[in-house]
Amino acid sequence: MSETPVKHQNTAAFYGQAAASFSVAMVATAVGIYKLHADAWVRAFLAIAVLYLVTSSFTLAKVIRDRQDAGAERAR
């Protein structure tokens, strides 16, 4: 007996909420760094650190997704 694989898709509302949440977090962080009472080089360092954290988070999420996709293909 063969089962057809179920394709899970996110709704537009979920995608919108995720994008809005990411945008609010980035704006809040940028405002916090901008208003920080510190030298410009400290604020610049924190901004670069935040950008590095964001890009590495996207990369980690992609690697995890790719590994799960590969595992699902082997299970077929």
Side-chain angles (χ1 to χ4, degrees):
M1 180 159 88
S2 66
E3 296 180 21
T4 57
V6 177
K7 186 172 183 178
H8 299 283
Q9 264 187 327
N10 294 328
T11 63
F14 181 77
Y15 179 79
Q17 184 271 332
S21 176
F22 177 77
S23 299
V24 167
M26 286 298 292
V27 168
T29 303
V31 169
I33 290 173
Y34 178 75
K35 293 202 173 260
L36 184 67
H37 295 295
D39 292 338
W41 73 268
V42 173
R43 291 194 313 258
F45 176 80
L46 291 174
I48 294 295
V50 166
L51 291 177
Y52 181 61
L53 180 62
V54 168
T55 57
S56 62
S57 297
F58 277 115
T59 303
L60 178 61
K62 182 186 178 312
V63 167
I64 291 171
R65 183 200 62 205
D66 291 348
R67 182 179 286 177
Q68 287 177 339
D69 287 349
E73 287 176 7
R74 275 185 265 152
R76 290 185 197 175

